[in-house]
Amino acid sequence: SFVVLTNKQLISQMGFQFPILLTCMHMTSTIFFSYLMMDVYQVLKKEHLASAGQRRHIGLLAAMFAVSLMCGNWSFRYASVAFAQMIGASTPFFVSVLGFIFFGTVFRWQVYATLFPIVGGAMISTYGELNLTILGLFFQLAATFTRGLKTVWQGHLLQGEEKLNSPNLLRYMAMDAAAILAVLSLLFESKSFIAWLRSDEEGDGNYRRWYFFLLLLFNPMSAYMANMSQFMLIQMSNPLTFQVIGNTKGLLNVFFDILFFGTQVSGLAALGYSITLTGVAAVLKGAEEVLKPSHLQTF
């Protein structure tokens, strides 16, 4: 919740409108703390890659991860945190569909029945959004789809034949993602970033500079902890269960968005979100039982 809310504050209220750079900072922080934990303090065991295929799969995961985070951060220019969480609550739908397409993963039929209220609720929330913009909706849908794809691929790399443990997969993925994001940031944000550095603009909230830089420091640090917990949860359960449990965080984000940013949520949007969460809760009952998992051997 802290990462999402501070992303919103930095991008939309403090004038730091560089979502690609901010996401790159998250990945750089992950690399740094992974180095400390594995190479310096040796708290976590360091593992090496087993094959070129594994390296290629991690590169694909990094691209998915980068696009998902980038689209999510981009959406904060045009949409509220509450709306982002309402649309993001439909991620289990994409996880279940993409899991079947790529790896033949099949759940109990009750799980698929609950996808209807999940998607229907998200559609109602979209219709009831007070400040809906096409760009905000587009970036949120793109972020939700790629998040689902990333989660499925992540589960394969954490639980497949050539599996890595959570800290090592996160470290290798962060290296590739940081490189991708650094190039994209140079291409699309360098000019506006230089102009921002030369200006005295402080955003809409008239925040003190020390608070801005403190937030810019702790935001990437907390991103490492959030990413680590996500990877560990997927390895201990499965991608669908992870996304279902993650919706409890979304509920907190909506609450804090209303509390701290004064976001207004219509009754229709709240109704749609409630329907989605009801479907998500029903998914949790059947998500642990995977009937026929199979894994893609090559890509």
Side-chain angles (χ1 to χ4, degrees), residues 155-228:
H156 169 64
L157 292 174
L158 288 169
Q159 300 170 348
E161 293 181 0
E162 293 183 334
K163 62 182 179 181
L164 284 168
N165 63 25
S166 304
N168 282 277
L169 179 59
L170 178 60
R171 178 173 69 100
Y172 285 118
M173 185 220 66
M175 292 178 183
D176 290 350
I180 294 170
L181 291 163
V183 173
L184 291 175
S185 183
L186 284 172
L187 288 174
F188 298 110
E189 296 179 337
S190 56
K191 290 184 179 180
S192 57
F193 181 71
I194 293 172
W196 175 79
L197 286 176
R198 291 175 177 173
S199 70
D200 294 325
E201 183 179 345
E202 295 184 2
D204 300 331
N206 294 321
Y207 295 94
R208 295 183 182 274
R209 289 187 181 274
W210 67 265
Y211 178 69
F212 168 76
F213 287 111
L214 189 67
L215 204 60
L216 201 61
L217 173 66
F218 280 100
N219 174 269
M221 290 173 59
S222 60
Y224 166 73
M225 294 183 284
N227 289 329
M228 177 65 79

Side-chain angles (χ1 to χ4, degrees), residues 11-290:
I11 292 171
S12 67
Q13 293 189 344
M14 291 185 163
F16 192 77
Q17 297 187 4
F18 312 103
I20 304 177
L21 176 60
L22 183 60
T23 311
C24 184
M25 291 170 64
H26 291 173
M27 293 298 98
T28 305
S29 171
T30 297
I31 296 169
F32 174 72
F33 284 107
S34 296
Y35 171 76
L36 287 181
M37 291 296 198
M38 295 182 191
D39 296 285
V40 178
Y41 298 111
Q42 298 183 347
V43 177
L44 301 172
K45 182 181 178 181
K46 187 175 181 179
E47 296 180 355
H48 298 284
L49 297 178
S51 66
Q54 190 179 39
R55 170 77 270 180
R56 186 171 63 251
H57 288 167
I58 291 174
L60 287 170
L61 176 65
M64 299 171 196
F65 201 88
V67 172
S68 174
L69 291 178
M70 193 169 61
C71 288
N73 286 339
W74 251 332
S75 72
F76 291 140
R77 287 184 176 184
Y78 312 101
S80 66
V81 171
F83 178 67
Q85 297 305 314
M86 290 176 186
I87 298 300
S90 63
T91 306
F93 165 78
F94 293 104
V95 171
S96 58
V97 172
L98 293 170
F100 174 75
I101 292 174
F102 284 100
F103 303 114
T105 303
V106 178
F107 295 93
R108 296 170 59 188
W109 69 266
Q110 290 92 336
V111 171
Y112 297 102
T114 60
L115 297 181
F116 291 99
I118 289 175
V119 176
M123 293 175 66
I124 294 173
S125 295
T126 302
Y127 184 76
E129 170 64 15
L130 296 174
N131 301 304
L132 178 64
T133 64
I134 297 301
L135 283 175
L137 177 61
F138 170 78
F139 283 126
Q140 261 312 308
L141 287 175
T144 303
F145 174 80
T146 51
R147 187 185 305 120
L149 183 60
K150 178 263 299 182
T151 304
V152 168
W153 204 260
Q154 212 171 310
H156 169 64
L157 292 174
L158 288 169
Q159 300 170 348
E161 293 181 0
E162 293 183 334
K163 62 182 179 181
L164 284 168
N165 63 25
S166 304
N168 282 277
L169 179 59
L170 178 60
R171 178 173 69 100
Y172 285 118
M173 185 220 66
M175 292 178 183
D176 290 350
I180 294 170
L181 291 163
V183 173
L184 291 175
S185 183
L186 284 172
L187 288 174
F188 298 110
E189 296 179 337
S190 56
K191 290 184 179 180
S192 57
F193 181 71
I194 293 172
W196 175 79
L197 286 176
R198 291 175 177 173
S199 70
D200 294 325
E201 183 179 345
E202 295 184 2
D204 300 331
N206 294 321
Y207 295 94
R208 295 183 182 274
R209 289 187 181 274
W210 67 265
Y211 178 69
F212 168 76
F213 287 111
L214 189 67
L215 204 60
L216 201 61
L217 173 66
F218 280 100
N219 174 269
M221 290 173 59
S222 60
Y224 166 73
M225 294 183 284
N227 289 329
M228 177 65 79
S229 63
Q230 290 173 9
F231 274 62
M232 292 181 69
L233 183 57
I234 290 176
Q235 188 164 33
M236 291 186 294
S237 56
N238 63 59
L240 183 57
T241 302
F242 163 73
Q243 286 299 337
V244 171
I245 294 174
N247 276 289
T248 58
K249 177 195 70 175
L251 188 60
L252 288 175
N253 288 337
V254 171
F255 172 75
F256 287 128
D257 188 38
I258 296 171
L259 181 65
F260 294 126
F261 298 117
T263 300
Q264 294 184 343
V265 176
S266 70
L268 188 60
L271 173 63
Y273 190 39
S274 300
I275 293 173
T276 297
L277 290 180
T278 301
V280 164
V283 169
L284 187 58
K285 294 182 179 180
E288 289 293 346
E289 185 177 346
V290 182

